[in-house]
């Protein structure tokens, strides 16, 4: 509500896990004019079409009583229904891939797709990039086809925005002077529709502003680019994206400055004791008054509770060696392992190689992006069996909390470098170059290590399977822990010795389940 400016906003905010605040703001204040977003807007206005008909209703059905009562509102709804037909409909991806768009927005997405593919070919990236990964192109020097398509699409979006705004004004008047038939239920429904209308109008206005950028001057506060999203080699979306170069600017403007008080807590935000970095990542640096700060020493004796090992003899890209390392380390710890990956493809490849062998030893292995259940269920299954292990990506690196003996080993496949992207390149150029890269990596290493020790009695080993760990990154870890660079054989021995050779499982694992 603070961001949307509709209704009363809380006077005070508490943000726990404050190291996520930058990314939360980055997502909240971003704009994406994409096939997925526009077809969702079409369904919200028109309602489900064709085979998708169900309980969900369109705008006319939700406000039928208002339309029959108020002629102006009814006219605005009819105009919105007509204008929404310019948005993508079912099977839009197939039409775009075939170069046969149906409507102004689909024609725009065809032009976006063509430009991204052309730029990839020009940069000789198409053959180098795995087809399972997306492609991006800077929104610079757009061709005439994209500029023309953007102008036509902007007009189509404006034709939808106008009746939605007119409808919003009529609903406001009706609420202010309610008719006899409007009981509490109807009033709540109309007020809810106003809130939804406000969000859609904001989205449409953002899209129109983004399209005005195509063929026009760049806006320094924003980073704009074109994208083709892919998953498992299949195109899933086509988009024009806009992010704030510094998303804490709107965060400070819309949330921090109007608030009566804000408390932000985090165990890893102040990396290396740098309060300036903490203020920059939370938007506090944009406030007129410098915020108060407080830090407390960790209650944990990391030097005695944890070990950090960097394995130096696993070659980059060698899936067989990587899989063997995970197997041996998990066997040495008798489970209780969290395996972290920076790429879903490698996670799946390693899981396919090691799951059966570990299962035969009574060591269950669960995996994000493999097992068809949500992360919460996977973590519950992992937590229920002290001999189970789990593989995952950044969601597990930043969000899993399993105190006790259940989690006693964390293994990272390598250094979690930031993925090259248009947005990352722009921020790197604006913010200290490689120092910006290093801050991201340190934060990710700190978060990953933080999964290991959650209570005073916890004990565990943190392993990175890469020789290419720069010494400057080691400040991500708590002081007092010796970091050893060792071979895999030595790492296996160290894990076994430090964890005290956990007893092997007897019979079937406790949490043995059959996933659907």
């Amino acid at each position: 509500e603070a961001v949307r400016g509709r209704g009363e906003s809380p006077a005070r905010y508490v943000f726990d896990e404050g190291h996520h605040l930058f990314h939360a703001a980055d997502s909240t204040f971003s704009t994406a004019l994409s096939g997925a977003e526009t077809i969702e807007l079409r369904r919200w206005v028109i309602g489900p079409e064709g085979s998708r008909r169900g309980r969900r209703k369109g705008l006319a059905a939700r406000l039928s009583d208002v339309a029959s009562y108020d002629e102006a509102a009814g006219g605005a709804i009819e105009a919105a229904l007509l204008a929404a037909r310019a948005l993508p409909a079912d099977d839009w991806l197939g039409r775009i891939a075939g170069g046969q768009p149906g409507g102004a927005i689909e024609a725009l997405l065809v032009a976006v797709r063509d430009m991204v593919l052309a730029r990839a070919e020009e940069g000789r990236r198409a053959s180098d990039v795995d087809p399972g990964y997306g492609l991006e192109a800077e929104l610079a020097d757009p061709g005439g086809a994209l500029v023309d398509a953007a102008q036509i699409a902007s007009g189509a979006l404006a034709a939808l925005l106008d009746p939605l705004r007119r409808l919003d004004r009529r609903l406001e008047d009706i609420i202010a002077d309610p008719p006899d038939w409007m009981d509490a239920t109807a009033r709540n429904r109309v007020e809810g529709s106003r809130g939804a209308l406000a969000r859609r109008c904001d989205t449409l206005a953002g899209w129109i502003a983004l399209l005005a950028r195509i063929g026009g001057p760049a806006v320094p506060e924003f980073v704009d680019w074109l994208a083709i999203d892919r998953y498992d080699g299949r195109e899933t979306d086509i988009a024009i994206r806009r992010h704030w170069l510094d998303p804490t600017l709107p965060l400070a403007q819309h949330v921090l400055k109007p608030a009566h008080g804000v408390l932000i807590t985090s165990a890893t935000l102040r990396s290396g004791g740098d309060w300036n970095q903490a203020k920059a990542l939370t938007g506090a640096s944009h406030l007129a008054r410098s915020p108060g700060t407080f830090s407390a020493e960790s209650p944990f004796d990391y030097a005695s509770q944890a070990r950090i090992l960097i394995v130096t003899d696993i070659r980059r890209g060698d899936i067989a060696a990587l899989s063997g390392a995970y197997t041996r380390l998990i066997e040495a710890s008798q489970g209780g392992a969290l395996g972290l990956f920076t790429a879903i493809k490698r996670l799946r490849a390693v899981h396919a190689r090691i799951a059966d062998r570990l299962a035969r030893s009574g060591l269950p292995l669960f995996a994000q992006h493999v097992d068809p259940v949500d992360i919460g269920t996977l973590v519950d299954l992992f937590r229920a069996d002290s001999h189970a292990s789990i593989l995952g990506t950044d969601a597990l690196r930043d969000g899993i909390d399993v105190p006790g003996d259940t989690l006693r080993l964390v293994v990272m496949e390598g250094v979690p470098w930031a993925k090259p992207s248009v947005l990352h390149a722009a921020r790197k150029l604006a913010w200290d170059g490689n120092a910006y890269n290093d801050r991201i990596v340190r934060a990710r290493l700190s978060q990953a290590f933080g999964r290991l020790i959650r209570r005073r009695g916890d004990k565990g080993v943190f392993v990175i399977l890469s020789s290419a760990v720069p010494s400057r990154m080691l400040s991500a870890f708590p002081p007092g822990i010796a970091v050893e660079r060792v071979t895999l054989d030595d790492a296996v021995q160290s894990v076994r010795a430090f964890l005290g050779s956990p007893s092997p499982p007897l019979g079937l694992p406790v949490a043995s389940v059959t996933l659907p």
Side-chain angles (χ1 to χ4, degrees):
E1 293 299 333
V3 174
R4 299 297 176 186
R6 184 67 67 96
E8 292 188 9
S9 300
R12 294 174 177 82
Y13 298 90
V14 176
F15 294 103
D16 192 16
E17 305 293 347
H19 48 275
H20 292 309
L21 195 53
F22 181 93
H23 300 290
D26 197 22
S27 175
T28 298
F29 296 104
S30 65
T31 300
L33 173 49
S34 71
E37 293 287 339
T38 50
I39 194 173
E40 179 63 23
L41 178 58
R42 177 187 176 113
R43 291 169 181 162
W44 182 82
V45 176
I46 298 176
E49 301 172 275
S51 61
R52 293 180 177 273
R53 293 186 182 278
R55 296 181 62 184
R56 185 177 180 181
K57 297 179 180 180
L59 194 59
R62 292 194 299 273
L63 295 175
S64 58
D65 48 0
V66 173
S68 62
Y69 166 77
D70 187 272
E71 183 177 352
I77 291 173
E78 288 300 321
L81 292 175
L82 180 62
R85 298 197 176 278
L87 300 173
D90 290 347
D91 302 322
W92 65 273
L93 269 171
R95 288 191 297 275
I96 288 176
Q100 298 179 328
I105 308 304
E106 289 189 14
L108 171 68
L109 297 178
V110 167
V112 169
R113 182 176 184 271
D114 289 346
M115 182 172 170
V116 174
L117 293 176
R119 292 280 174 87
E121 186 65 27
E122 289 171 6
R124 298 180 180 271
R125 291 197 299 262
S127 60
D128 299 332
V129 177
D130 188 293
Y133 291 86
L135 293 173
E136 294 181 351
E138 294 183 20
L139 186 50
D141 300 322
L146 180 56
V147 173
D148 293 343
Q151 291 177 347
I152 297 172
S154 181
L157 295 176
L160 176 58
L161 177 58
D162 178 65
L164 291 182
R165 282 178 169 168
R166 285 192 280 118
L167 176 60
D168 184 45
R169 289 192 294 269
R170 289 306 305 151
L171 294 181
E172 183 180 19
D173 293 341
I174 292 171
I175 290 175
D177 184 17
D180 295 338
W181 55 263
M182 182 174 283
D183 56 15
T185 300
R187 183 184 183 91
N188 289 336
R189 176 168 46 79
V190 173
E191 288 179 341
S193 295
R194 281 205 71 212
L197 272 170
R199 291 192 293 272
R200 270 68 181 192
C201 288
D202 288 346
T203 297
L204 281 164
W207 288 348
I208 293 170
L210 179 55
L211 291 177
R213 155 73 176 88
I214 299 178
V219 183
E221 292 84 5
F222 296 109
V223 182
D224 304 324
W225 72 97
L226 313 176
I228 300 175
D229 296 341
R230 291 170 169 171
Y231 186 77
D232 278 349
R234 178 175 58 88
E235 290 185 12
T236 59
D237 205 0
I238 298 165
I240 309 171
R241 301 191 184 277
R242 162 169 282 185
H243 282 236
W244 282 80
L245 181 64
D246 180 0
T248 66
L249 275 169
L251 174 68
Q253 184 65 34
H254 293 284
V255 180
L256 304 185
K257 290 181 180 179
H260 293 175
V262 179
L263 174 64
I264 303 172
T265 66
S266 171
T268 59
L269 187 60
R270 190 178 62 105
S271 177
D274 187 353
W275 280 114
N276 289 329
Q277 175 184 323
K279 294 173 185 178
L281 290 174
T282 57
S285 58
H286 300 302
L287 301 178
R289 292 178 55 189
S290 182
T293 60
F294 171 79
S295 63
E297 294 297 323
S298 171
F300 306 133
D301 181 6
Y302 288 111
S304 64
Q305 290 181 255
R307 295 289 183 271
I308 299 175
L309 307 175
I310 299 175
V311 176
T312 59
D313 56 349
I314 303 297
R315 289 188 304 167
R316 177 182 175 86
D318 189 339
I319 296 298
L322 186 65
S323 302
Y326 269 96
T327 301
R328 293 184 62 191
L329 289 167
I330 292 173
E331 288 176 340
S333 67
Q334 286 297 295
L338 168 63
L340 296 173
F341 291 78
T342 57
I344 296 172
K345 182 178 179 180
R346 286 193 294 276
L347 183 155
R348 288 173 169 167
V350 168
H351 177 272
R353 285 173 174 262
I354 72 175
D356 287 345
R357 173 174 168 175
L358 292 175
R360 288 194 296 270
S361 300
L363 303 173
L365 181 65
F366 305 111
Q368 182 189 7
H369 305 293
V370 176
D371 294 320
V373 292
D374 61 83
I375 293 177
T377 301
L378 284 178
V379 173
D380 288 342
L381 293 171
F382 169 63
R383 186 183 286 113
D385 186 348
S386 63
H387 293 291
S389 297
I390 187 170
L391 307 180
T393 51
D394 52 355
L396 293 184
R397 181 193 68 214
D398 296 339
I400 188 174
D401 187 9
V402 184
D405 187 54
T406 300
L407 176 52
R408 51 190 177 270
L409 173 67
V410 174
V411 184
M412 297 192 76
E413 61 155 333
V415 180
W417 298 109
K419 179 182 177 182
S421 67
V422 173
L423 180 60
H424 178 73
R427 287 175 175 164
K428 180 180 175 183
L429 182 63
W431 297 335
D432 304 327
N434 288 330
Y436 172 64
N437 260 346
D438 290 354
R439 286 198 297 271
I440 292 175
V441 175
R442 288 194 191 97
R444 291 174 178 176
L445 288 173
S446 183
Q447 279 296 303
F449 178 83
R451 303 309 98 202
L452 193 61
I453 306 298
R454 311 298 292 178
R455 300 191 309 202
R456 289 180 184 272
D458 288 357
K459 187 176 183 181
V461 183
F462 186 85
V463 182
I464 304 178
L465 298 174
S466 171
S467 60
V469 182
S471 297
R472 66 182 185 275
M473 298 300 178
L474 302 183
S475 61
F477 302 117
I481 306 180
V483 178
E484 302 177 61
R485 297 182 185 265
V486 297
T487 65
L488 178 60
D489 288 341
D490 290 339
V492 170
Q493 292 298 324
S494 294
V495 169
R496 186 176 290 115
F498 186 70
L499 296 179
S501 300
S503 58
L506 299 176
L508 292 175
V510 175
S512 178
V513 297
T514 301
L515 295 173

